[in-house]
Amino acid sequence: MRESPLALLAEITHRCPLQCPYCSNPVELAKASEEMGTGEWLRLIDEAAHLGILQIHFSGGEPMARSDLPRLIRHAREVGLYTNLITSGVLLDRERLEALVEAGIDHVQISIQDTDPANADRISAYPNGLVKKRAAALLVHEAGLALTINAVVHRQNLDRLGEMIAFAEAVSAERIEVAHVQYYGWALKNRDALMPTIAQLDAATALVAAERQRLGGRMVIDYVIPDYYARRPKACMGGWGQRFINVSPTGNVLPCHAAETIASLTFANLRDRSLADIWENDPAFAAFRGTDWMPDACRRCDRREIDWGGCRCQALALTGDAAATDPACDRSPLHGAVFALAQKASEGLPEIRAYRRIGVK
């Protein structure tokens, strides 16, 4: 029997009051009428615990848009899962947080778009969001919960990374994840507006090193450079079908949140099959699991079971072939061209071409 996955990312809805132009949700967003119901999510939680999963991350869209979120969290705790909420924070007031605490939530992650209120509003297409996020983060800390701030960075806010780290300190976060935008889906549509310059990246990397030393472990800074400027690919989701499962609002079971961009694959749905059966036997999970699928150069690489071939969705977006060597790797023949593409994109106009909205193509 295959080793159990570590974690489940439950995207319980695509509904969200924010319209971020780099959202990791697919361009084809699920409508509320298409979402799995409460009973179906409860059954999934049971199946996840039975499969040996240890953590469940409630995400979206905005998971707070669902009124049954406390019930889902309570059930996850009852079956022994560690529960994490990934939220924009703009709907998280004291009353709603108290319901989540009573249900047993363990950890909360709150995203920020910028520390400049006007630019945060412009990026998210949501007014006064930063004030609400700060208030929500302080409530989470007051409740005694573990808190992570997710700072999504790109050319239009990276110069304020120091302020974002200070924001996380001020709300007593245990961790800040400095998450460079990943360029597929919505972000690919807006790459020319979001890609950072080399100078910005170098400054940000130096700043993170200095801040880690200053903080001395009081707050953890997670930081990974954007793939387009990397020399080696990252092990996306710990490797395709290795450690993580993503479930979409409609019940599709995915190796990663962007997997549906690979149109040649068909993904199983929980309304038709069990989670364990999909994890063990589904062809889509097997497609890029392990090393047998890799191009020859990747199979011979001593990092083949470290990065597991990198990101399949990125390989598809940049080469047209999901099985190609990830161009983030300097052993790819396209690595230099992707680096040049990033430099050109970083000179693009700052205009957002497509905000995350249902019906946008």
Side-chain angles (χ1 to χ4, degrees), residues 185 257 309:
H257 52 263

Side-chain angles (χ1 to χ4, degrees), residues 295-309:
D296 184 62
C298 297
R299 283 199 305 272
R300 290 186 285 106
C301 177
D302 58 4
R303 292 179 55 84
R304 63 188 177 277
E305 294 187 2
I306 298 174
D307 59 40
W308 297 105

Side-chain angles (χ1 to χ4, degrees), residues 148-205:
T148 294
I149 296 298
N150 291 344
V152 184
V153 295
H154 45 82
R155 186 169 82 244
Q156 299 194 33
N157 68 4
L158 191 54
D159 294 337
R160 287 178 291 279
L161 177 56
E163 294 180 13
M164 296 184 215
I165 294 172
F167 176 98
E169 268 194 284
V171 297
S172 302
E174 284 80 16
R175 179 184 301 269
I176 178 171
E177 292 187 3
V178 180
H180 278 276
V181 167
Q182 301 298 310
Y183 294 96
Y184 36 70
W186 294 101
L188 188 60
K189 291 176 176 290
N190 295 295
R191 184 172 60 192
D192 288 357
L194 299 173
M195 183 68 69
T197 66
I198 283 286
Q200 282 183 307
L201 179 60
D202 288 346
T205 302

Side-chain angles (χ1 to χ4, degrees), residues 208-223:
V208 167
E211 287 291 84
R212 282 172 170 165
Q213 184 173 12
R214 179 184 67 82
L215 289 165
R218 296 194 309 276
M219 182 176 74
V220 175
I221 302 178
D222 289 335
Y223 176 75

Side-chain angles (χ1 to χ4, degrees), residues 10 13 19 70 73 106 124 136 176-177 181 259 265 278 294-295 332 351:
T13 184
Q19 299 176 25
I73 290 171
D106 292 298
S124 63
I176 178 171
E177 292 187 3
V181 167
L265 296 179
I278 295 169
M294 291 181 178
S332 164
E351 179 183 359

